[in-house]
Amino acid sequence: MKTNCEIMEITDEKLLRIALVTSLIGIIGLIAFTPTIEVKEVDIKDINRAMIDEEVRITGVITDIAQSSSKTSYFLTVNDGEAQIQLIIFENQVAEIQSKNLDIENFKNRQVEIVGTVTQYNSEMELILSSGDSLRIVN
């Protein structure tokens, strides 16, 4: 009579097949569900501490642009008519934007759409730009 160990012997080949099938199922799932993942669009006044680390989409006018003392990052003030928030653009996103022949200063007084991650600094809510493609002029 065979023991359970002899019946359920897992070989490298069986393990490889299991890993391959599991990977394929995961990839198919990602392909199927990725288009349905949408960034939540919010008004600036509705951004709160419960949303920290969430990615959101806002629309507003860039009313002020300041550069960091190291000259590598930018701080943009975005106003949607009811509230305003600070948008932080770090060095790597600045480089992405500039690689498209755009200057950060050109966004001033322009209506923009922004996708960013909500964060808090000195008790103030802020957005960190998700990527260089996440800041675009809409008007």
Side-chain angles (χ1 to χ4, degrees):
M1 184 169 176
K2 291 186 177 183
T3 64
N4 283 346
C5 289
E6 293 172 329
I7 295 171
M8 295 297 294
E9 185 178 335
I10 295 180
T11 64
D12 287 344
E13 186 178 322
K14 286 181 184 175
L15 195 56
L16 181 63
R17 286 182 183 169
I18 291 169
L20 181 61
V21 168
T22 305
S23 297
L24 287 173
I25 291 170
I27 290 170
I28 291 169
L30 282 172
I31 291 169
F33 293 109
T34 298
T36 62
I37 298 172
E38 182 100 6
V39 176
K40 180 169 58 171
E41 188 161 349
V42 297
D43 292 330
I44 294 172
K45 67 178 173 46
D46 296 330
I47 296 174
N48 58 52
R49 285 170 182 74
M51 300 170 84
I52 290 176
D53 293 330
E54 241 182 85
E55 196 169 58
V56 297
R57 179 185 322 273
I58 64 167
T59 304
V61 175
I62 304 293
T63 57
D64 188 45
I65 297 174
Q67 203 170 14
S68 66
S69 57
S70 64
K71 306 286 186 206
T72 58
S73 301
Y74 284 87
F75 305 97
L76 283 63
T77 303
V78 185
N79 189 314
D80 67 0
E82 295 182 26
Q84 65 183 28
I85 193 166
Q86 190 90 285
L87 172 69
I88 292 68
I89 305 177
F90 290 115
E91 185 176 9
N92 55 341
Q93 290 104 351
V94 170
E96 278 183 70
I97 292 168
Q98 290 173 340
S99 73
K100 298 174 190 159
N101 294 323
L102 294 171
D103 184 6
I104 301 291
E105 296 292 332
N106 293 341
F107 289 96
K108 189 166 184 177
N109 298 320
R110 303 294 300 268
Q111 178 89 10
V112 295
E113 182 180 83
I114 299 163
V115 175
T117 303
V118 177
T119 188
Q120 182 178 353
Y121 180 74
N122 287 341
S123 302
E124 294 292 322
M125 302 310 296
E126 297 180 333
L127 281 182
I128 296 175
L129 191 67
S130 293
S131 72
D133 295 330
S134 299
L135 172 63
R136 64 182 195 91
I137 297 171
V138 293
N139 189 353

